[in-house]
Each structure stands twice: as structure tokens, then as C-alpha cells.
Amino acid sequence: MANVLWLLVACVALFAGVVSALQVHGALERERGFRASPTCASVPVVASGCLWEQEFTVRDAALHRGSRRLSPEAELLLPSGKPWHVTFRNTDPVAPELEPGDKVVGLIWHGHVVEVRDAEGRRQETSSGPLEWPEDRLGGALACISFGVTALVGALWALFARGRRRHATAAAIVRWHGVGLGGAAILTLWAQAANSWPMWAIPAIWGPLVLLILASAVAFAIAALRGNLDRDDPSTPRVPPPLPPPSMGQSQGSGRPAR
């Protein structure tokens, strides 16, 4: 039952990793297109790839704290009175300060408000923003795929080698090293984000860690197959060796030499 559960978890992780990997290229292209977009010469009347800053007045705002289904949102009004609804991926730093009547500037790109700037110059990306964090998708792909592959190998190994204790031990070692591979990818992503390193730092740091973890997995799996990890539990209690017989030159009763 445990091996089947590992197999299902591995398949789910592989699917999530492949989906995340496919999104990396699209996120990079969208971000590059946004950064290369020129400023609009005039107010765009249709959705355009240029950037235009538009003043808005806040009509209403709601953070929906504690809700997992609802995102922070705000309703903005154009000078003409036309409402424009925007949502945010997170709450900081602009959304918590929005009050009815506040003046903000919205950055419009392809017909969407992708960023909101308040009177103090703080900026916050909306849910339509083009900066979709390709680093997060790359880190997620590395974590899910590396864990999924090793967990799948370990689960299939245990299923096909059922009843062989040493093979089961080696398969479990492979599976748990897969957890280490996924954890290493998550820690690498955290380090990259905390230090604002470029995206190429993720595979550059994670690669050597992968080699070390895989080397450890191979070494422990070979040791398990050879029986080096078996417990040396004796099947029968040990019997102490018999005492040596008394010498011929000693009397059996007194222990003194016979005359």
C-alpha cells in the first residue's frame, strides 16, 4: 500500500513539474515584452502594447484578509466616472493604504492595469501584471521533477522487487533521497529570492547539490543491496563456552595436588 501511495505522489509531482517547466518560457517572454514596451504617445483607444499612465480615484478597496478564495481588490474610477476593477496577488505595499477618495496612478498595458502607484510613489503589481516570477516556476519545476523521478524509480523498484528485503531497503533509500533533491531546489530558490540573484543562479547552485545527493543515494543503495545495512540480530541466544576440564594431577575433591 505504501509503495502505491509513493507511486501516486510521484506521478502528481511529475505532472506539476512539467506544467511549471512549460510556463517558464512564457513567463520570460511576457516579462521581456513588458520591459521593452515603449511609452504611448497618446491615450490608447484600444488595447495596445505600449505603456500608459492613467490617473484614477479610489472608489472602494477590500483586502479580504483570511480568505483563501478572494484576492485583495479595488475599484478605481477614471476622470470620466467609468469604474475599473483591479485585483492584487498580495496585500503589500499599496493595497492596505487605499482609501475611498485617494488618488492613484495606474499603469496600463494591453488594456489592463498592470501596476498601481500611490501618492507616495509606492508601486504594487496587480493580478494582470506581466512579472510572473519565472524564477519561481523554474524552482518549482526542478523541485517537483527531481522528486517525482526519484520517487517513481523507488516506488517501481519496490513493487517489482516485492519480498526481497534488501531491494526494498534500497528502494526506500532512493525515494527519501528524492525528498532531499526537492528540498534542495526549494532552499536554492529561497536563497536566490532573498539575495536577488539572477535566475541562472538557481541551476548553478542546485546542480552541485544534486550530484552530492545522487552520489549519496547510489552509495547507500549499493550498501543496502550488499547487506551492509542489515541488522546483525542473532536468531538464537548465545551459549557460553564450557569450562575446561580439571587437570589430571589435581584431586577432584580438595583441589590440592595428589601425593
Side-chain angles (χ1 to χ4, degrees):
M1 183 64 182
N3 294 327
V4 175
L5 181 61
W6 273 101
L7 185 62
L8 293 176
V9 172
C11 292
V12 172
L14 280 174
F15 177 77
V18 171
V19 171
S20 184
L22 293 176
Q23 293 176 344
V24 172
H25 179 72
L28 284 173
E29 291 297 324
R30 183 173 168 84
E31 181 175 335
R32 290 169 183 166
F34 171 74
R35 297 190 185 280
S37 297
T39 302
C40 298
S42 60
V43 181
V45 294
V46 295
S48 175
C50 58
L51 302 174
W52 178 258
E53 290 188 347
Q54 175 65 52
E55 291 186 355
F56 291 92
T57 301
V58 178
R59 181 178 182 179
D60 192 15
L63 295 180
H64 302 297
R65 294 185 183 274
S67 175
R68 295 183 179 181
R69 297 184 298 105
L70 300 177
S71 301
E73 59 183 349
E75 188 173 357
L76 310 178
L77 296 178
L78 287 167
S80 63
K82 180 181 178 180
W84 202 311
H85 183 263
V86 297
T87 59
F88 301 94
R89 293 192 181 106
N90 45 54
T91 57
D92 295 323
V94 176
E97 306 298 330
L98 295 180
E99 296 289 344
D102 289 347
K103 300 295 183 180
V104 296
V105 175
L107 183 62
I108 299 177
W109 186 60
H110 285 290
H112 297 280
V113 177
V114 298
E115 184 182 270
V116 173
R117 185 177 77 245
D118 62 10
E120 298 181 4
R122 294 174 297 190
R123 300 172 180 268
Q124 183 173 350
E125 190 177 5
T126 68
S127 300
S128 302
L131 306 181
E132 300 177 358
W133 304 300
E135 297 86 356
D136 292 357
R137 285 164 170 75
L138 176 60
L142 294 178
C144 292
I145 292 177
S146 60
F147 165 73
V149 169
T150 48
L152 181 63
V153 171
L156 292 176
W157 188 355
L159 287 174
F160 284 107
R162 185 177 300 175
R164 289 182 281 183
R165 184 165 55 88
R166 292 183 180 180
H167 284 265
T169 302
I173 289 172
V174 172
R175 292 196 301 265
W176 286 110
H177 275 79
V179 176
L181 288 174
I186 298 299
L187 291 177
T188 302
L189 177 62
W190 175 82
Q192 180 272 336
N195 295 279
S196 300
W197 292 333
M199 190 172 69
W200 59 261
I202 297 176
I205 298 173
W206 185 68
L209 296 177
V210 170
L211 296 178
L212 292 175
I213 295 175
L214 289 179
S216 173
V218 171
F220 277 98
I222 292 175
L225 293 176
R226 291 178 176 176
N228 296 337
L229 302 182
D230 293 345
R231 295 181 178 179
D232 296 330
D233 295 333
S235 57
T236 57
R238 294 183 177 180
V239 179
L243 296 175
S247 61
M248 297 297 296
Q250 294 182 351
S251 62
Q252 297 182 357
S254 62
R256 295 180 179 178
R259 295 181 180 179

